[in-house]
Amino acid sequence: MAKHSIYYVFALPPISGGHFVSLEHIAALNRGGFNAKVYYVGPPDGFANFTVPAVRAGAPLLPDDIIVVGEDHKPLLQQLRSMSCIRVLHNQNPYYTFVGFDSAADLMSYPLARVIVPSTFCADRLKAMGMTQPISRVRPAVPDYFAPAEKRLQI
């Protein structure tokens, strides 16, 4: 289906909720016929911890490949700025935005094709900072254990 690959950048093996959301995105994209995978730039021993397709840092990137990177990965964001690819910011927490960017001006000048966020709240915070790049809300999947259970009378 897709002519390009979609890479979600990981600097660590998956250990936090945000990592697992990204893994869910990759799995859903692959089920939809896209070529999505982890682009792993972390320690070698963490590479085997992924449950979705993954490639190591240094894998060749094409100009129409999409790189998805989190808002708090400053060194990665700096490296990606000059790379020939389509850059998407996965901003899961607007309060971490300035871990990855020095200022609102730095954020606004970054060559992003799009920003994906998990909520309207996150999108609104970014817009309040002056974000003008396109923003798409991609809600994370809600695990089955949060589904309503059969009611029980208890005292």
Side-chain angles (χ1 to χ4, degrees), residues 85-105:
C85 61
I86 299 166
R87 289 165 291 281
V88 173
L89 183 67
H90 189 191
N91 195 308
Q92 296 189 63
N93 185 338
Y95 299 111
Y96 288 160
T97 302
F98 295 109
V99 174
F101 297 92
D102 290 330
S103 65

Side-chain angles (χ1 to χ4, degrees), residues 63-93:
D64 64 344
D65 285 341
I66 298 169
I67 303 295
V68 183
V69 64
E71 73 280 359
D72 59 343
H73 294 291
K74 188 175 200 162
L76 294 173
L77 287 160
Q78 290 172 342
Q79 289 174 9
L80 288 172
R81 183 183 280 274
S82 62
M83 292 178 71
S84 178
C85 61
I86 299 166
R87 289 165 291 281
V88 173
L89 183 67
H90 189 191
N91 195 308
Q92 296 189 63
N93 185 338

Side-chain angles (χ1 to χ4, degrees), residues 24 28 32 79 81 93 109 112-113 120-121 133 139 147:
E24 289 173 3
Q79 289 174 9
R81 183 183 280 274
N93 185 338
S109 70
L112 295 169
T120 301
F121 170 81
Q133 290 92 338
R139 293 184 188 263

